[in-house]
Amino acid sequence: MIRYAAARILAGIPTLLLVSVFIFSLAHITPGDPAILLAGDNATPSQVAEIRTRLHLDLPLVQQFGLWLGDALRLDLGKSIYSGKPVTQLIAQRVEPTLVLSFVTLVLTVLVAVPLGAVSAWKANSIIDRISMGIAVAGFSIPVFVIAYLLVYFFAVKLRLFPVQGYKWLADGWMATLNSVTLPAIALAFVFSALIARVTRASVLEALGENYIRTAHAKGLGAPRILFVHALRSVGVPVITVIGIGFATLIGGVVVTESVFNIPGIGRLTVDAVTRRDYPVIQGVILFFSVALIFINLLVDLSYAYIDPRIRG
Amino acid sequence: MPRHLFRAFGLAVLLVTAQAASAEETLRLRMNGDVNVLDPISTTNFTIRNASYLMFDTLFAMDENYKVQPQMAEGAVVSDDGLVYTITLRDGLKFHDGSPVTAEDAVASLKRWGSVDGLGKILFSKTASLEAADDKTVVLTLNEPWGLVLDALGKISSNVPVIMPAEQAAKPASEAVTEPIGSGPYKLLPDEWVPGSIVVFKKFDDYVPRSEPASLAAGGKVAHFDKVEIQYIPDTATAINALIAGEIDWIEEVPADMLMFFDGVETAKTVAARQSGNSAQLVVNHLNPPFDNPKIRHALQLAVEQTPFLQAAFGDVTDSYLECAAVFFCDTPYASDINTDRVLKRDPEAAKKLLEEAGYDGTPVLIMHVTDIASQDNFYSVLAPMLKEAGFNVDVQPTDWATVATRRASKEPVENGGWNVFFTGWGFVDQSNPMTNVYVSGDCDNSWFGWACSERLQDLRKQFAVATSEDDRKKLATEMQEITHDLVSYVPLGQAFPSVGLATDLKGYIDGPVPFFWNLERTN
């Protein structure tokens, strides 16, 4: 098991290198000069040139990449062109909100979507199935910002149950944190649940046709036990796969939610860096995402082994 | 003690501390942009300027009658020949690290500002020496008399000549100070500063406000809050909801189409900020065809008019905008309506005729349609059909602001990354002064983007700089406007008065071209 995990981690290194070359090229090909944006409206060309030299933007691209890679290997991702702060510090400041939001969303989603999908499969083609799948399709189709604004309007502005915006840090108490991420997590979970509910339904439906389920029926087991213990356990692999992919997309896809709810997470850091052509931050964040993705894939793979004894062997 | 009693005690302690914490008054602000640096010399960005006013102070400052008053300075004595300015600092000035503010600090700060600011550069081009005579006395000696010394030192908008410790002011202006230290009414809390999210200031207990009442940037800067937070909330609808729900206290700008959010709301209101007007312009590149031809530039003037642009931005909220083609803004000392007819009235037929006379060969006008800023997006959508109707060929290319901000600096032909036109906006303070208005320099290659060229304009500006009577200045400004509209350095698209969103429990708000947060306090 440990060797398996180690091999997976090592295999991630060339991926990371490729990703950094790709991102570096992409960021620098995009038109737009950070030096000019930084200098402001009244700057003279010589001031802009001075900034460009200071930031090494006048060096050939290959040399710029070499400088960056060398530093990155020493865990120095450079300094933000925009704020002058170290990129590692900027990322570290933003990790907590995104992780908390993603985690709460994930828990909400699994609690809602897996039972919803399982029950839909159990009562396939009934009115319950139609209604729950209808909700799932709606969740998938309505843009997340529409759901977000509706939630804000009713639960924050009208009922004053939750704050409109902002994030409370865990250091200030986890209740406040939970309160501040509830609405964004519901908005995200709405979209994400749709996907998981549909995959769960399809997989459970398939499992319900299997012989061992018929055997369970013949043994006289009750419906809930058959559904949640026997059928669900066997569909763990596809569902966990989707949850893993979903979690990865969540980390990257919280951009809109973070903007609407003003949560200072990684998603917003990324968007802001792109609009400002803040190359070191763009590169640093993408590298961070790549590492996170590799880690999540590893977790998913390891959980396969836990769920399905055949894989362990 | 039974366990539940213990818990109740814990809860009570929590409640008491929570109450103690809430007794601390915090003012929470949402500006248009993010506070990434706090060095108003390194950038002209208005958000940075606004935030910097909380923590920095200036030697002189402009009052509500646009007259310059002493601020950190006790006063200035001018020699009879008008060449020597002796400025004395007032007592008790301290930086946030506790060290006293000295004349050395003021000299170093002004030199750094003078290396980058437009008006500052002119001042230093006329300066023979700037020295600290002793700890409290700054002596400025000119080469020739210049009437605008105090106007420059009391400049209200970017770059504001703020005073910082001499060692920080030793940095080149292009490099932002990363751990700024000011001497203003609020002090930065560096550990709570998260660029892209929040910056927090604490009341500076050692600040000594002037005794006069607050008047725009001048007068006593009394801090009534323990803390000031500037939150970066990128989404405007979210910011407005937060203001209505009482989570923040002030929004720099409420877009016209969101004013209705405040209907029937008791916790917050909007105030149309008549003094903080902005203006919109279509900037024209004089180097590239077809606008290297003056006749074709005149055709452009006739092809557009202001109302459709203003309506695209403000809808039917008519008190948010004003049609105005005065180069130095309407309702200002140098406002004039000379040569504005051609700008205000659209005439596509006349434009077509001019194009024909000019021998327009159909060279397309490149329109870099900015899509990531809503107001600009609307403007570009209005521009293209107007130009087509007047007989121009247009090439519309969707892009983002960052790209345009870079591309506008290029003097190359369009096919090599150059440009023809772009929209921008300038504030009232910069535009109303002929020394800082970028469209009247006529300085050819050294002009602002567009590079309009006119020896007469250059000459007029030089005369303006040394003119001593207000009548002379007014005459010179009027001629500048006449020439500018003949030259078409830009096409003016009117003036706007953005609405500020304000919590109703605040009083003492200073309505000005720059938002100030001293004097402001909560009523309850």
Side-chain angles (χ1 to χ4, degrees):
Chain A
M1 191 74 154
I2 292 170
R3 271 186 65 188
Y4 172 68
R8 298 285 322 205
I9 292 171
L10 282 179
I13 293 173
T15 318
L16 280 180
L17 201 64
L18 265 178
V19 166
S20 16
V21 173
F22 182 68
I23 293 307
F24 189 88
S25 326
L26 206 64
H28 284 79
I29 288 168
T30 323
D33 182 343
I36 286 179
L37 295 176
L38 205 62
D41 261 355
N42 286 336
T44 60
S46 65
Q47 285 167 343
V48 174
E50 204 176 300
I51 293 178
R52 206 174 282 136
T53 313
R54 183 162 52 78
L55 300 174
H56 302 302
L57 293 171
D58 54 344
L59 297 179
L61 269 193
V62 178
Q63 210 175 329
Q64 287 187 46
F65 181 70
L67 280 176
W68 178 77
L69 194 67
D71 289 341
L73 287 176
R74 277 171 276 143
L75 287 184
D76 173 6
L77 296 177
K79 280 183 179 169
S80 160
I81 292 178
Y82 176 69
S83 65
K85 302 226 180 291
V87 174
T88 39
Q89 182 193 334
L90 290 177
I91 294 178
Q93 279 175 336
R94 306 302 193 94
V95 167
E96 184 195 300
T98 300
L99 271 187
V100 170
L101 177 57
S102 303
F103 182 73
V104 175
T105 305
L106 194 70
V107 171
L108 263 180
T109 304
V110 172
L111 287 181
V112 173
V114 173
L116 196 73
V119 170
S120 292
W122 183 257
K123 300 279 176 195
N125 297 323
S126 70
I127 185 81
I128 298 173
D129 179 26
R130 293 283 151 82
I131 291 175
S132 47
M133 283 307 108
I135 295 173
V137 170
F140 218 71
S141 321
I142 304 175
V144 64
F145 66 88
V146 173
I147 297 171
Y149 282 131
L150 287 174
L151 289 172
V152 167
Y153 183 74
F154 288 109
F155 294 103
V157 177
K158 288 287 157 198
L159 299 175
R160 302 270 167 107
L161 290 176
F162 299 99
V164 170
Q165 50 95 40
Y167 176 77
K168 293 273 177 285
W169 298 87
L170 281 172
D172 300 333
W174 62 272
M175 277 297 283
T177 307
L178 207 58
N179 193 38
S180 69
V181 298
T182 303
L183 288 187
I186 292 176
L188 272 175
F190 206 62
V191 179
F192 194 32
S193 304
L195 175 73
I196 299 198
R198 289 193 64 82
V199 171
T200 311
R201 179 183 180 273
S203 313
V204 172
L205 208 54
E206 203 185 311
L208 287 178
E210 300 281 338
N211 285 336
Y212 69 93
I213 297 289
R214 211 168 303 141
T215 312
H217 274 294
K219 281 199 300 189
L221 290 181
R225 194 172 160 80
I226 294 174
L227 184 59
F228 289 106
V229 177
H230 292 252
L232 254 189
R233 176 134 198 221
S234 73
V235 303
V237 169
V239 172
I240 293 267
T241 309
V242 177
I243 292 177
I245 296 172
F247 192 62
T249 23
L250 254 186
I251 290 189
V254 292
V255 172
V256 175
T257 325
E258 287 185 355
S259 293
V260 171
F261 289 98
N262 186 31
I263 291 173
I266 296 273
R268 253 186 53 199
L269 181 67
T270 318
V271 176
D272 290 345
V274 171
T275 50
R276 287 163 190 151
R277 308 293 191 265
D278 196 343
Y279 299 141
V281 178
I282 301 177
Q283 284 150 213
V285 168
I286 301 287
L287 194 68
F288 171 80
F289 278 143
S290 313
V291 173
L293 268 185
I294 289 171
F295 181 69
I296 289 167
N297 280 336
L298 184 72
L299 279 187
V300 168
D301 284 354
L302 295 181
S303 65
Y304 287 167
Y306 173 75
I307 292 172
D308 191 338
R310 287 170 300 182
I311 296 178
R312 243 176 283 167
Chain B
M1 192 190 290
R3 190 175 285 175
H4 63 272
L5 257 183
F6 202 73
R7 276 203 196 133
F9 174 74
L11 194 67
V13 169
L14 261 177
L15 282 174
V16 169
T17 41
Q19 259 178 353
S22 72
E24 189 174 68
E25 278 281 8
T26 304
L27 178 70
R28 297 143 310 168
L29 314 167
R30 188 259 189 176
M31 295 191 179
N32 287 346
D34 169 38
V35 181
N36 61 323
V37 292
L38 273 163
D39 178 354
I41 307 300
S42 72
T43 174
T44 55
N45 181 315
F46 285 171
T47 300
I48 310 304
R49 175 200 67 188
N50 301 346
S52 296
Y53 263 115
L54 284 164
M55 65 172 290
F56 289 107
D57 212 350
T58 53
L59 293 183
F60 294 88
M62 195 185 264
D63 71 10
E64 59 198 20
N65 302 311
Y66 301 115
K67 294 272 174 279
V68 171
Q69 304 293 349
Q71 181 53 254
M72 292 167 83
E74 195 64 61
V77 179
V78 187
S79 64
D80 291 341
D81 57 4
L83 289 177
V84 183
Y85 286 70
T86 308
I87 302 163
T88 319
L89 300 180
R90 64 186 167 97
D91 287 329
L93 298 175
K94 262 190 197 170
F95 283 115
H96 297 157
D97 63 358
S99 60
V101 179
T102 65
E104 282 292 346
D105 299 312
V107 167
S109 301
L110 290 180
K111 282 186 176 162
R112 183 166 185 257
W113 162 76
S115 72
V116 56
D117 178 69
L119 211 49
K121 280 184 190 165
I122 301 174
L123 172 62
F124 275 84
S125 72
K126 297 176 186 304
T127 298
S129 69
L130 174 67
E131 278 159 358
D134 57 49
D135 270 2
K136 290 186 67 181
T137 317
V138 176
V139 180
L140 171 76
T141 312
L142 300 178
N143 295 316
E144 50 176 311
W146 189 48
L148 298 173
V149 171
L150 294 182
D151 296 71
L153 297 179
K155 200 173 175 240
I156 194 170
S157 187
S158 297
N159 303 85
V160 180
V162 298
I163 304 304
M164 51 181 77
E167 55 274 25
Q168 296 204 327
K171 263 198 169 185
S174 61
E175 211 173 312
V177 174
T178 45
E179 278 150 15
I181 296 173
S183 65
Y186 288 97
K187 159 186 180 172
L188 171 72
L189 297 179
D191 293 342
E192 295 184 34
W193 183 12
V194 182
S197 175
I198 194 169
V199 52
V200 187
F201 301 88
K202 185 175 172 278
K203 182 176 174 173
F204 180 47
D205 292 326
D206 288 344
Y207 183 77
V208 184
R210 294 189 74 87
S211 53
E212 302 93 338
S215 169
L216 212 57
K221 300 177 173 181
V222 181
H224 291 293
F225 288 90
D226 304 302
K227 269 187 172 182
V228 179
E229 291 177 5
I230 302 177
Q231 302 183 10
Y232 179 48
I233 308 177
D235 188 87
T236 308
T238 301
I240 291 174
N241 280 328
L243 175 62
I244 291 172
E247 290 169 27
I248 56 171
D249 299 301
W250 177 86
I251 297 179
E252 185 173 2
E253 195 173 334
V254 178
D257 58 347
M258 293 189 182
L259 289 173
M260 59 180 183
F261 283 25
F262 291 85
D263 290 347
V265 168
E266 284 175 6
T267 49
K269 62 182 178 183
T270 59
V271 182
R274 297 297 289 190
Q275 280 209 43
S276 57
N278 287 311
S279 63
Q281 301 100 31
L282 180 69
V283 185
V284 185
N285 187 347
H286 286 220
L287 302 183
N288 283 335
F291 297 126
D292 54 348
N293 181 332
K295 266 204 173 144
I296 297 181
R297 293 202 296 270
H298 288 161
L300 173 69
Q301 251 170 353
L302 290 171
V304 297
E305 66 182 355
Q306 299 187 349
T307 318
F309 289 101
L310 292 166
Q311 282 173 342
F314 299 102
D316 54 2
V317 190
T318 47
D319 57 355
S320 288
Y321 63 81
L322 179 72
E323 278 190 44
C324 170
V327 169
F328 304 111
F329 260 59
C330 290
D331 305 326
T332 61
Y334 303 126
S336 158
D337 54 10
I338 192 163
N339 212 3
T340 54
D341 285 353
R342 60 203 296 170
V343 183
L344 289 171
K345 197 78 211 115
R346 179 163 192 260
D347 190 345
E349 290 311 313
K352 265 185 194 156
K353 209 185 269 172
L354 265 180
L355 284 181
E356 213 170 287
E357 280 173 37
Y360 175 55
D361 60 359
T363 306
V365 176
L366 173 71
I367 295 182
M368 303 178 287
H369 188 138
V370 172
T371 52
D372 61 336
I373 299 175
S375 57
Q376 292 220 16
D377 191 12
N378 294 345
F379 271 20
Y380 283 102
S381 304
V382 174
L383 177 67
M386 277 189 179
L387 293 192
K388 279 188 205 158
E389 198 189 335
F392 283 100
N393 282 333
V394 297
D395 174 13
V396 180
Q397 291 185 12
T399 182
D400 65 350
W401 171 247
T403 305
V404 173
T406 303
R407 193 164 175 175
R408 67 182 180 170
S410 165
K411 291 181 182 172
E412 294 293 309
V414 172
E415 54 276 17
N416 295 344
W419 56 279
N420 286 130
V421 289
F422 72 90
F423 288 110
T424 193
W426 280 89
F428 155 85
V429 187
D430 303 282
Q431 288 288 89
S432 58
N433 182 345
M435 298 311 296
T436 50
N437 184 315
V438 293
Y439 300 111
V440 299
S441 78
D443 218 357
C444 313
D445 268 2
N446 297 319
S447 285
W448 203 61
F449 313 117
W451 307 286
C453 198
S454 158
E455 279 182 21
R456 181 67 188 145
L457 268 182
Q458 295 173 36
D459 189 40
L460 286 170
R461 211 183 197 188
K462 278 185 197 136
Q463 289 182 40
F464 187 94
V466 292
T468 42
S469 92
E470 200 51 30
D471 274 355
D472 290 348
R473 286 188 192 153
K474 168 85 183 158
K475 252 182 233 151
L476 292 164
T478 309
E479 194 183 340
M480 282 184 190
Q481 168 160 326
E482 191 177 4
I483 295 176
T484 302
H485 282 331
D486 272 339
L487 189 66
V488 199
S489 339
Y490 74 106
V491 182
L493 296 172
Q495 252 169 262
F497 309 104
S499 289
V500 164
L502 196 62
T504 35
D505 65 354
L506 292 178
K507 67 169 186 186
Y509 182 66
I510 302 171
D511 177 23
V514 175
F516 301 117
F517 301 100
W518 47 85
N519 205 40
L520 194 61
E521 57 187 315
R522 236 181 260 289
T523 47
N524 50 21

